[in-house]
Amino acid sequence: MSDNVEIITRFEHAFRAADQATIDELCDPGLVDHNPAPDHEPTLAGFKKKVAGFKASFPDIGDDGPSTSSPGVRYPSSTKNTRPSGFRQSATRDQKDSKRSGGTCESQKPKKTTS
């Protein structure tokens, strides 16, 4: 296992277990969390509080699943639209309207002039 994969795997396991000592070992003391939890400082201490809160919210998360950093692990992906039908993007409707009108907006069509 390469050093990078080993470090990421250790970090992932530490995150899942809320292992504060390993997080201290792997993270730079000057860490800036660009996605801090509400009411947490964007520092290493705030990140550790976020990790502890995540573990408290999801206590059954553990190391029983495959690691996202495991080489050769493939996760299923879906191209199927999983949103409820009432939440379709308006771009889809706009695209259909564009096809019906010949692909141009009304304001872009040349105006007919009468002489």
Side-chain angles (χ1 to χ4, degrees), residues 46-85:
F47 177 75
K48 288 168 47 177
K49 286 180 185 177
K50 180 169 71 172
V51 170
F54 187 79
K55 180 66 173 177
S57 297
F58 304 99
D60 56 347
I61 193 168
D63 293 332
D64 54 349
S67 171
T68 58
S69 57
S70 297
V73 174
R74 299 187 83 151
Y75 294 92
S77 62
S78 173
T79 56
K80 182 179 175 185
N81 184 357
T82 57
R83 288 178 283 176
S85 62

Side-chain angles (χ1 to χ4, degrees), residues 13-110:
H13 290 206
F15 188 96
R16 289 180 179 193
D19 180 354
Q20 303 289 319
T22 303
I23 290 173
D24 275 334
E25 178 187 343
L26 296 175
C27 293
D28 187 279
L31 177 135
V32 175
D33 186 356
H34 293 282
N35 190 22
D39 300 323
H40 289 128
E41 294 292 321
T43 61
L44 178 58
F47 177 75
K48 288 168 47 177
K49 286 180 185 177
K50 180 169 71 172
V51 170
F54 187 79
K55 180 66 173 177
S57 297
F58 304 99
D60 56 347
I61 193 168
D63 293 332
D64 54 349
S67 171
T68 58
S69 57
S70 297
V73 174
R74 299 187 83 151
Y75 294 92
S77 62
S78 173
T79 56
K80 182 179 175 185
N81 184 357
T82 57
R83 288 178 283 176
S85 62
F87 292 99
R88 290 200 174 107
Q89 292 176 339
S90 61
T92 304
R93 261 193 316 263
D94 293 344
Q95 289 168 352
K96 288 179 183 176
D97 291 342
S98 176
K99 287 179 184 175
R100 277 189 230 128
S101 68
T104 58
C105 295
E106 290 296 321
S107 61
Q108 293 175 342
K109 288 184 180 178

